[in-house]
Amino acid sequence: MIPAETEKPLSAPLDVGFDYTRSVGPVLGRFVNALRERRIVGVRGSDDRVHVPPVEYDPVTAAALSEFAEVADEGTVVSWSWVAEPLEAQPVRRPFAWALIRLDGADTALLHAVDAGSPAAMRTGMRVRVCWADEPVGHIRDLAYFVPVEDPPGDPAPTPEPPPVAKREEGAPVDTIVTPIHLSYQHSVSPEESRYLRGLAEGRVLGQRCPACGKVYLPPRGACPTDGVPTEEEVELPDTGVVTTFCIVNVPFLGQRIKPPYVTAYVLLDGADIPFLHLVLGCEASEVRMGMRVRASWKPREEWSTTLENIAHFEPTGEPDAPYETYAHHL
């Protein structure tokens, strides 16, 4: 085996995301339902200013606002910044400008994308107009992007897929919007974590021991946070342990892969001093308890890679529960 100090740390793309779902209420509801009709509405404040997008409470008095005003789908660029390399989910999939745009009839500026073709075509004070989505659904992305009123680019800009739509009856007003949120980046782990992940690809669970306090950290951290010294001694651990604390999941959510109820638990492997979070299956959720002895249920070997997901879940071993004092200090 290659010595740990010469192994290249593991690195992989990481995507964290979910669909954020929210009810819109009477003010934003008026705004998104107008967008579905290719109209733009704002709300008038106590100082007679028209806010677009509409705000629910007056910035001056904090009173609830309810007087709506329709504005134009053309306006003026107040300020802007050029995006030379657009990200995947941004409104335009070629170089564009983010701009603050004050629509005609509005007193506040709306942040949106301008497809101008080049930074030389952008300027403060330029006139722009909306390019509407082909099929408005009642979402801010119904405003696909803006283009200059004079000399707009000849070909339509490539745009992302339409946003998901919350279920509603045919013809019913939009009362809920769904906004996909994603964070994608390249994640690199430490040499110690790389050894741990490579061990999992071999069906081994590797931790590291602190030479000062003797604690075994899983996953390994490279240094003991208590004593501040390197944890260089590698410790191979069994795949059995004890449930310290747990939670029964009863509420369904988007992307859920297991039908509730099921249990997520902190499992303290035998010989380790740090528990980690995993699933406990193989029994009724109501039967899981603190102190329960469990064993890892591994996926088929051909599915293994450098991930803790090689362990599909933990299951009860049938052994007597561990004494409380053996895991009490981990609660």
Tab-separated table of all heavy atoms in Angstrom, residues 233-287:
chain	number	residue	atom	x	y	z
A	233	GLU	N	-1.557	7.823	14.768
A	233	GLU	CA	-1.747	6.371	14.899
A	233	GLU	C	-3.083	5.966	14.284
A	233	GLU	O	-4.144	6.405	14.696
A	233	GLU	CB	-1.716	5.946	16.373
A	233	GLU	CG	-1.904	4.442	16.559
A	233	GLU	CD	-2.064	4.046	18.017
A	233	GLU	OE1	-1.859	4.914	18.892
A	233	GLU	OE2	-2.419	2.876	18.275
A	234	GLU	N	-3.034	5.097	13.273
A	234	GLU	CA	-4.244	4.639	12.599
A	234	GLU	C	-4.832	3.449	13.346
A	234	GLU	O	-4.104	2.548	13.778
A	234	GLU	CB	-3.915	4.244	11.161
A	234	GLU	CG	-5.124	4.043	10.279
A	234	GLU	CD	-4.719	3.894	8.829
A	234	GLU	OE1	-4.463	2.740	8.411
A	234	GLU	OE2	-4.625	4.925	8.125
A	235	VAL	N	-6.158	3.445	13.486
A	235	VAL	CA	-6.853	2.381	14.213
A	235	VAL	C	-7.949	1.820	13.318
A	235	VAL	O	-8.803	2.571	12.831
A	235	VAL	CB	-7.478	2.912	15.519
A	235	VAL	CG1	-8.207	1.785	16.252
A	235	VAL	CG2	-6.424	3.540	16.405
A	236	GLU	N	-7.916	0.505	13.067
A	236	GLU	CA	-8.993	-0.125	12.312
A	236	GLU	C	-10.075	-0.570	13.285
A	236	GLU	O	-9.804	-1.278	14.260
A	236	GLU	CB	-8.485	-1.301	11.486
A	236	GLU	CG	-9.580	-1.912	10.631
A	236	GLU	CD	-9.054	-2.838	9.541
A	236	GLU	OE1	-7.824	-2.873	9.322
A	236	GLU	OE2	-9.880	-3.503	8.884
A	237	LEU	N	-11.290	-0.159	12.996
A	237	LEU	CA	-12.408	-0.399	13.897
A	237	LEU	C	-13.354	-1.448	13.328
A	237	LEU	O	-13.447	-1.609	12.099
A	237	LEU	CB	-13.178	0.904	14.133
A	237	LEU	CG	-12.381	2.035	14.785
A	237	LEU	CD1	-13.127	3.358	14.652
A	237	LEU	CD2	-12.122	1.717	16.254
A	238	PRO	N	-14.075	-2.165	14.185
A	238	PRO	CA	-15.092	-3.096	13.695
A	238	PRO	C	-16.304	-2.322	13.182
A	238	PRO	O	-16.415	-1.110	13.391
A	238	PRO	CB	-15.441	-3.906	14.946
A	238	PRO	CG	-15.194	-2.957	16.075
A	238	PRO	CD	-14.001	-2.124	15.655
A	239	ASP	N	-17.210	-3.004	12.515
A	239	ASP	CA	-18.414	-2.334	12.019
A	239	ASP	C	-19.609	-2.559	12.936
A	239	ASP	O	-20.764	-2.520	12.516
A	239	ASP	CB	-18.736	-2.774	10.594
A	239	ASP	CG	-19.059	-4.260	10.476
A	239	ASP	OD1	-19.015	-4.969	11.508
A	239	ASP	OD2	-19.350	-4.709	9.351
A	240	THR	N	-19.318	-2.786	14.218
A	240	THR	CA	-20.372	-2.921	15.223
A	240	THR	C	-20.272	-1.772	16.211
A	240	THR	O	-19.204	-1.176	16.402
A	240	THR	CB	-20.243	-4.255	15.980
A	240	THR	OG1	-18.928	-4.344	16.557
A	240	THR	CG2	-20.476	-5.436	15.060
A	241	GLY	N	-21.389	-1.452	16.822
A	241	GLY	CA	-21.385	-0.361	17.780
A	241	GLY	C	-22.693	-0.259	18.530
A	241	GLY	O	-23.448	-1.231	18.617
A	242	VAL	N	-22.947	0.948	19.039
A	242	VAL	CA	-24.107	1.167	19.897
A	242	VAL	C	-24.779	2.472	19.510
A	242	VAL	O	-24.111	3.438	19.119
A	242	VAL	CB	-23.674	1.179	21.385
A	242	VAL	CG1	-22.672	2.276	21.662
A	242	VAL	CG2	-24.875	1.303	22.314
A	243	VAL	N	-26.094	2.486	19.594
A	243	VAL	CA	-26.864	3.709	19.350
A	243	VAL	C	-26.754	4.597	20.584
A	243	VAL	O	-27.069	4.155	21.698
A	243	VAL	CB	-28.339	3.388	19.052
A	243	VAL	CG1	-29.175	4.661	19.018
A	243	VAL	CG2	-28.462	2.625	17.746
A	244	THR	N	-26.289	5.845	20.391
A	244	THR	CA	-26.233	6.769	21.533
A	244	THR	C	-27.498	7.620	21.605
A	244	THR	O	-28.177	7.646	22.615
A	244	THR	CB	-24.992	7.674	21.431
A	244	THR	OG1	-25.037	8.420	20.211
A	244	THR	CG2	-23.709	6.855	21.469
A	245	THR	N	-27.814	8.319	20.547
A	245	THR	CA	-29.076	9.075	20.471
A	245	THR	C	-29.677	8.822	19.093
A	245	THR	O	-28.996	8.393	18.168
A	245	THR	CB	-28.845	10.584	20.661
A	245	THR	OG1	-27.947	11.054	19.654
A	245	THR	CG2	-28.276	10.892	22.024
A	246	PHE	N	-30.974	9.121	18.952
A	246	PHE	CA	-31.628	8.844	17.670
A	246	PHE	C	-32.844	9.731	17.494
A	246	PHE	O	-33.317	10.394	18.433
A	246	PHE	CB	-32.033	7.361	17.585
A	246	PHE	CG	-33.095	6.954	18.565
A	246	PHE	CD1	-34.441	6.952	18.199
A	246	PHE	CD2	-32.762	6.582	19.857
A	246	PHE	CE1	-35.419	6.579	19.104
A	246	PHE	CE2	-33.732	6.206	20.773
A	246	PHE	CZ	-35.071	6.205	20.394
A	247	CYS	N	-33.341	9.739	16.261
A	247	CYS	CA	-34.536	10.513	15.923
A	247	CYS	C	-35.396	9.676	14.986
A	247	CYS	O	-34.880	9.088	14.025
A	247	CYS	CB	-34.144	11.831	15.245
A	247	CYS	SG	-35.527	12.756	14.551
A	248	ILE	N	-36.688	9.610	15.258
A	248	ILE	CA	-37.629	8.936	14.366
A	248	ILE	C	-38.177	9.966	13.385
A	248	ILE	O	-38.778	10.959	13.794
A	248	ILE	CB	-38.776	8.264	15.146
A	248	ILE	CG1	-38.220	7.208	16.101
A	248	ILE	CG2	-39.770	7.626	14.173
A	248	ILE	CD1	-39.281	6.523	16.949
A	249	VAL	N	-37.928	9.749	12.103
A	249	VAL	CA	-38.384	10.665	11.057
A	249	VAL	C	-39.786	10.254	10.627
A	249	VAL	O	-39.978	9.165	10.076
A	249	VAL	CB	-37.420	10.647	9.848
A	249	VAL	CG1	-37.917	11.591	8.756
A	249	VAL	CG2	-36.018	11.027	10.292
A	250	ASN	N	-40.757	11.120	10.871
A	250	ASN	CA	-42.150	10.846	10.524
A	250	ASN	C	-42.671	11.733	9.405
A	250	ASN	O	-43.740	11.467	8.856
A	250	ASN	CB	-43.048	11.049	11.756
A	250	ASN	CG	-42.845	9.980	12.806
A	250	ASN	OD1	-43.107	8.815	12.562
A	250	ASN	ND2	-42.360	10.380	13.978
A	251	VAL	N	-41.947	12.807	9.083
A	251	VAL	CA	-42.439	13.799	8.133
A	251	VAL	C	-41.801	13.566	6.765
A	251	VAL	O	-40.569	13.553	6.652
A	251	VAL	CB	-42.125	15.224	8.629
A	251	VAL	CG1	-42.626	16.267	7.626
A	251	VAL	CG2	-42.748	15.456	10.003
A	252	PRO	N	-42.607	13.393	5.709
A	252	PRO	CA	-42.039	13.253	4.365
A	252	PRO	C	-41.501	14.580	3.851
A	252	PRO	O	-41.968	15.649	4.246
A	252	PRO	CB	-43.232	12.774	3.525
A	252	PRO	CG	-44.433	13.257	4.260
A	252	PRO	CD	-44.073	13.265	5.724
A	253	PHE	N	-40.500	14.519	2.986
A	253	PHE	CA	-39.955	15.737	2.382
A	253	PHE	C	-39.439	15.398	0.989
A	253	PHE	O	-39.262	14.223	0.629
A	253	PHE	CB	-38.831	16.334	3.246
A	253	PHE	CG	-37.713	15.376	3.574
A	253	PHE	CD1	-36.664	15.178	2.689
A	253	PHE	CD2	-37.730	14.670	4.769
A	253	PHE	CE1	-35.638	14.301	2.987
A	253	PHE	CE2	-36.699	13.785	5.083
A	253	PHE	CZ	-35.653	13.600	4.187
A	254	LEU	N	-39.219	16.436	0.168
A	254	LEU	CA	-38.771	16.244	-1.202
A	254	LEU	C	-37.416	15.545	-1.231
A	254	LEU	O	-36.519	15.879	-0.470
A	254	LEU	CB	-38.679	17.597	-1.913
A	254	LEU	CG	-40.007	18.289	-2.232
A	254	LEU	CD1	-39.749	19.695	-2.765
A	254	LEU	CD2	-40.823	17.486	-3.233
A	255	GLY	N	-37.275	14.579	-2.115
A	255	GLY	CA	-36.021	13.864	-2.259
A	255	GLY	C	-35.841	12.725	-1.273
A	255	GLY	O	-34.807	12.057	-1.300
A	256	GLN	N	-36.820	12.490	-0.425
A	256	GLN	CA	-36.705	11.428	0.577
A	256	GLN	C	-36.687	10.062	-0.110
A	256	GLN	O	-37.510	9.786	-0.988
A	256	GLN	CB	-37.901	11.523	1.537
A	256	GLN	CG	-37.753	10.775	2.825
A	256	GLN	CD	-38.875	11.130	3.790
A	256	GLN	OE1	-40.018	11.272	3.389
A	256	GLN	NE2	-38.552	11.310	5.049
A	257	ARG	N	-35.726	9.217	0.275
A	257	ARG	CA	-35.564	7.922	-0.385
A	257	ARG	C	-36.142	6.765	0.416
A	257	ARG	O	-36.198	5.636	-0.068
A	257	ARG	CB	-34.083	7.675	-0.669
A	257	ARG	CG	-33.505	8.604	-1.728
A	257	ARG	CD	-32.046	8.329	-1.989
A	257	ARG	NE	-31.207	8.715	-0.869
A	257	ARG	CZ	-29.889	8.577	-0.831
A	257	ARG	NH1	-29.265	8.022	-1.857
A	257	ARG	NH2	-29.195	8.973	0.213
A	258	ILE	N	-36.541	7.038	1.665
A	258	ILE	CA	-37.099	5.992	2.530
A	258	ILE	C	-38.462	6.470	3.018
A	258	ILE	O	-38.622	7.627	3.409
A	258	ILE	CB	-36.180	5.714	3.737
A	258	ILE	CG1	-34.782	5.313	3.248
A	258	ILE	CG2	-36.757	4.615	4.619
A	258	ILE	CD1	-33.786	5.147	4.371
A	259	LYS	N	-39.431	5.588	2.997
A	259	LYS	CA	-40.776	5.946	3.449
A	259	LYS	C	-40.803	6.026	4.971
A	259	LYS	O	-40.386	5.103	5.660
A	259	LYS	CB	-41.787	4.913	2.954
A	259	LYS	CG	-43.224	5.263	3.307
A	259	LYS	CD	-44.190	4.211	2.774
A	259	LYS	CE	-45.623	4.562	3.144
A	259	LYS	NZ	-46.581	3.542	2.641
A	260	PRO	N	-41.269	7.150	5.548
A	260	PRO	CA	-41.375	7.256	7.012
A	260	PRO	C	-42.390	6.238	7.541
A	260	PRO	O	-43.289	5.816	6.800
A	260	PRO	CB	-41.878	8.687	7.222
A	260	PRO	CG	-41.553	9.420	5.951
A	260	PRO	CD	-41.660	8.395	4.866
A	261	PRO	N	-42.278	5.866	8.813
A	261	PRO	CA	-41.251	6.323	9.759
A	261	PRO	C	-39.957	5.503	9.632
A	261	PRO	O	-39.989	4.327	9.324
A	261	PRO	CB	-41.915	6.069	11.118
A	261	PRO	CG	-42.804	4.885	10.879
A	261	PRO	CD	-43.306	5.030	9.463
A	262	TYR	N	-38.834	6.168	9.884
A	262	TYR	CA	-37.552	5.487	9.932
A	262	TYR	C	-36.664	6.246	10.919
A	262	TYR	O	-37.021	7.323	11.397
A	262	TYR	CB	-36.906	5.389	8.557
A	262	TYR	CG	-36.605	6.707	7.896
A	262	TYR	CD1	-35.376	7.341	8.070
A	262	TYR	CD2	-37.549	7.328	7.084
A	262	TYR	CE1	-35.096	8.555	7.459
A	262	TYR	CE2	-37.281	8.537	6.463
A	262	TYR	CZ	-36.062	9.149	6.657
A	262	TYR	OH	-35.786	10.344	6.065
A	263	VAL	N	-35.502	5.683	11.210
A	263	VAL	CA	-34.660	6.212	12.287
A	263	VAL	C	-33.305	6.657	11.749
A	263	VAL	O	-32.646	5.927	11.002
A	263	VAL	CB	-34.458	5.156	13.395
A	263	VAL	CG1	-33.429	5.638	14.422
A	263	VAL	CG2	-35.786	4.858	14.079
A	264	THR	N	-32.908	7.857	12.125
A	264	THR	CA	-31.514	8.280	11.991
A	264	THR	C	-30.927	8.307	13.397
A	264	THR	O	-31.597	8.747	14.347
A	264	THR	CB	-31.395	9.670	11.346
A	264	THR	OG1	-32.059	10.637	12.146
A	264	THR	CG2	-32.012	9.668	9.953
A	265	ALA	N	-29.711	7.834	13.528
A	265	ALA	CA	-29.131	7.689	14.863
A	265	ALA	C	-27.653	8.003	14.850
A	265	ALA	O	-26.981	7.884	13.815
A	265	ALA	CB	-29.352	6.265	15.382
A	266	TYR	N	-27.140	8.418	16.000
A	266	TYR	CA	-25.700	8.517	16.193
A	266	TYR	C	-25.204	7.159	16.674
A	266	TYR	O	-25.675	6.642	17.693
A	266	TYR	CB	-25.355	9.621	17.184
A	266	TYR	CG	-25.286	10.978	16.536
A	266	TYR	CD1	-26.368	11.854	16.588
A	266	TYR	CD2	-24.146	11.371	15.831
A	266	TYR	CE1	-26.311	13.091	15.967
A	266	TYR	CE2	-24.083	12.597	15.211
A	266	TYR	CZ	-25.161	13.458	15.282
A	266	TYR	OH	-25.103	14.672	14.653
A	267	VAL	N	-24.273	6.597	15.897
A	267	VAL	CA	-23.747	5.266	16.185
A	267	VAL	C	-22.300	5.409	16.654
A	267	VAL	O	-21.464	6.019	15.967
A	267	VAL	CB	-23.812	4.360	14.943
A	267	VAL	CG1	-23.170	3.000	15.235
A	267	VAL	CG2	-25.260	4.186	14.494
A	268	LEU	N	-22.003	4.855	17.816
A	268	LEU	CA	-20.649	4.856	18.363
A	268	LEU	C	-20.047	3.479	18.113
A	268	LEU	O	-20.445	2.487	18.738
A	268	LEU	CB	-20.679	5.159	19.860
A	268	LEU	CG	-19.328	5.195	20.575
A	268	LEU	CD1	-18.492	6.380	20.093
A	268	LEU	CD2	-19.531	5.272	22.093
A	269	LEU	N	-19.113	3.388	17.152
A	269	LEU	CA	-18.500	2.103	16.862
A	269	LEU	C	-17.643	1.636	18.036
A	269	LEU	O	-17.067	2.452	18.762
A	269	LEU	CB	-17.639	2.185	15.598
A	269	LEU	CG	-18.371	2.392	14.265
A	269	LEU	CD1	-17.381	2.289	13.113
A	269	LEU	CD2	-19.513	1.403	14.082
A	270	ASP	N	-17.552	0.341	18.207
A	270	ASP	CA	-16.727	-0.235	19.273
A	270	ASP	C	-15.271	0.207	19.065
A	270	ASP	O	-14.692	0.018	17.999
A	270	ASP	CB	-16.807	-1.762	19.246
A	270	ASP	CG	-18.227	-2.264	19.497
A	270	ASP	OD1	-19.005	-1.544	20.153
A	270	ASP	OD2	-18.557	-3.362	19.005
A	271	GLY	N	-14.692	0.808	20.093
A	271	GLY	CA	-13.318	1.276	20.038
A	271	GLY	C	-13.177	2.720	19.629
A	271	GLY	O	-12.083	3.284	19.714
A	272	ALA	N	-14.282	3.365	19.191
A	272	ALA	CA	-14.238	4.778	18.807
A	272	ALA	C	-14.713	5.647	19.966
A	272	ALA	O	-15.365	5.174	20.896
A	272	ALA	CB	-15.090	5.026	17.572
A	273	ASP	N	-14.392	6.934	19.896
A	273	ASP	CA	-14.822	7.878	20.922
A	273	ASP	C	-15.720	8.974	20.365
A	273	ASP	O	-16.151	9.847	21.117
A	273	ASP	CB	-13.596	8.512	21.597
A	273	ASP	CG	-12.829	7.504	22.440
A	273	ASP	OD1	-13.259	7.239	23.576
A	273	ASP	OD2	-11.822	6.966	21.943
A	274	ILE	N	-15.987	8.938	19.063
A	274	ILE	CA	-16.839	9.934	18.420
A	274	ILE	C	-17.927	9.200	17.637
A	274	ILE	O	-17.620	8.422	16.729
A	274	ILE	CB	-16.029	10.836	17.454
A	274	ILE	CG1	-14.885	11.521	18.196
A	274	ILE	CG2	-16.935	11.868	16.787
A	274	ILE	CD1	-15.321	12.504	19.259
A	275	PRO	N	-19.203	9.409	17.953
A	275	PRO	CA	-20.269	8.775	17.171
A	275	PRO	C	-20.502	9.515	15.854
A	275	PRO	O	-20.120	10.674	15.711
A	275	PRO	CB	-21.493	8.884	18.089
A	275	PRO	CG	-21.234	10.097	18.916
A	275	PRO	CD	-19.742	10.197	19.088
A	276	PHE	N	-21.105	8.844	14.883
A	276	PHE	CA	-21.442	9.486	13.618
A	276	PHE	C	-22.884	9.141	13.254
A	276	PHE	O	-23.458	8.163	13.744
A	276	PHE	CB	-20.473	9.077	12.498
A	276	PHE	CG	-20.472	7.606	12.177
A	276	PHE	CD1	-21.270	7.107	11.161
A	276	PHE	CD2	-19.654	6.736	12.878
A	276	PHE	CE1	-21.271	5.759	10.861
A	276	PHE	CE2	-19.645	5.384	12.586
A	276	PHE	CZ	-20.454	4.891	11.569
A	277	LEU	N	-23.454	9.953	12.388
A	277	LEU	CA	-24.874	9.843	12.040
A	277	LEU	C	-25.072	8.845	10.907
A	277	LEU	O	-24.372	8.894	9.892
A	277	LEU	CB	-25.410	11.214	11.632
A	277	LEU	CG	-26.925	11.353	11.445
A	277	LEU	CD1	-27.649	11.157	12.769
A	277	LEU	CD2	-27.264	12.727	10.863
A	278	HIS	N	-26.061	7.960	11.082
A	278	HIS	CA	-26.391	7.008	10.019
A	278	HIS	C	-27.830	6.516	10.226
A	278	HIS	O	-28.489	6.875	11.200
A	278	HIS	CB	-25.415	5.831	10.006
A	278	HIS	CG	-25.089	5.350	8.623
A	278	HIS	ND1	-26.047	4.852	7.763
A	278	HIS	CD2	-23.911	5.289	7.941
A	278	HIS	CE1	-25.477	4.504	6.614
A	278	HIS	NE2	-24.174	4.773	6.698
A	279	LEU	N	-28.293	5.688	9.289
A	279	LEU	CA	-29.629	5.101	9.379
A	279	LEU	C	-29.598	3.835	10.217
A	279	LEU	O	-28.623	3.078	10.181
A	279	LEU	CB	-30.142	4.747	7.986
A	279	LEU	CG	-30.416	5.898	7.026
A	279	LEU	CD1	-30.654	5.357	5.617
A	279	LEU	CD2	-31.623	6.701	7.497
A	280	VAL	N	-30.686	3.598	10.946
A	280	VAL	CA	-30.877	2.318	11.635
A	280	VAL	C	-32.171	1.714	11.100
A	280	VAL	O	-33.265	2.275	11.281
A	280	VAL	CB	-30.957	2.487	13.162
A	280	VAL	CG1	-31.307	1.154	13.824
A	280	VAL	CG2	-29.636	3.008	13.711
A	281	LEU	N	-32.034	0.598	10.386
A	281	LEU	CA	-33.177	-0.104	9.819
A	281	LEU	C	-33.147	-1.547	10.302
A	281	LEU	O	-32.386	-1.886	11.195
A	281	LEU	CB	-33.131	-0.043	8.286
A	281	LEU	CG	-33.050	1.362	7.660
A	281	LEU	CD1	-32.904	1.263	6.146
A	281	LEU	CD2	-34.284	2.176	8.016
A	282	GLY	N	-33.987	-2.389	9.746
A	282	GLY	CA	-33.984	-3.792	10.127
A	282	GLY	C	-34.855	-4.109	11.319
A	282	GLY	O	-34.848	-5.248	11.799
A	283	CYS	N	-35.579	-3.101	11.795
A	283	CYS	CA	-36.528	-3.309	12.886
A	283	CYS	C	-37.539	-2.176	12.830
A	283	CYS	O	-37.374	-1.206	12.084
A	283	CYS	CB	-35.828	-3.352	14.249
A	283	CYS	SG	-35.064	-1.786	14.724
A	284	GLU	N	-38.606	-2.280	13.606
A	284	GLU	CA	-39.578	-1.195	13.674
A	284	GLU	C	-38.921	0.039	14.284
A	284	GLU	O	-38.085	-0.065	15.195
A	284	GLU	CB	-40.788	-1.608	14.514
A	284	GLU	CG	-41.614	-2.744	13.915
A	284	GLU	CD	-42.273	-2.330	12.617
A	284	GLU	OE1	-42.647	-1.140	12.482
A	284	GLU	OE2	-42.412	-3.198	11.731
A	285	ALA	N	-39.303	1.201	13.785
A	285	ALA	CA	-38.728	2.437	14.315
A	285	ALA	C	-38.954	2.553	15.816
A	285	ALA	O	-38.096	3.057	16.555
A	285	ALA	CB	-39.321	3.642	13.583
A	286	SER	N	-40.089	2.071	16.293
A	286	SER	CA	-40.414	2.169	17.718
A	286	SER	C	-39.533	1.274	18.582
A	286	SER	O	-39.482	1.438	19.813
A	286	SER	CB	-41.887	1.801	17.943
A	286	SER	OG	-42.156	0.484	17.472
A	287	GLU	N	-38.811	0.332	17.964
A	287	GLU	CA	-37.976	-0.585	18.732
A	287	GLU	C	-36.558	-0.046	18.945
A	287	GLU	O	-35.810	-0.576	19.762
A	287	GLU	CB	-37.894	-1.939	18.017
A	287	GLU	CG	-39.237	-2.660	17.922
A	287	GLU	CD	-39.146	-3.945	17.131
A	287	GLU	OE1	-38.019	-4.291	16.681
A	287	GLU	OE2	-40.174	-4.608	16.952
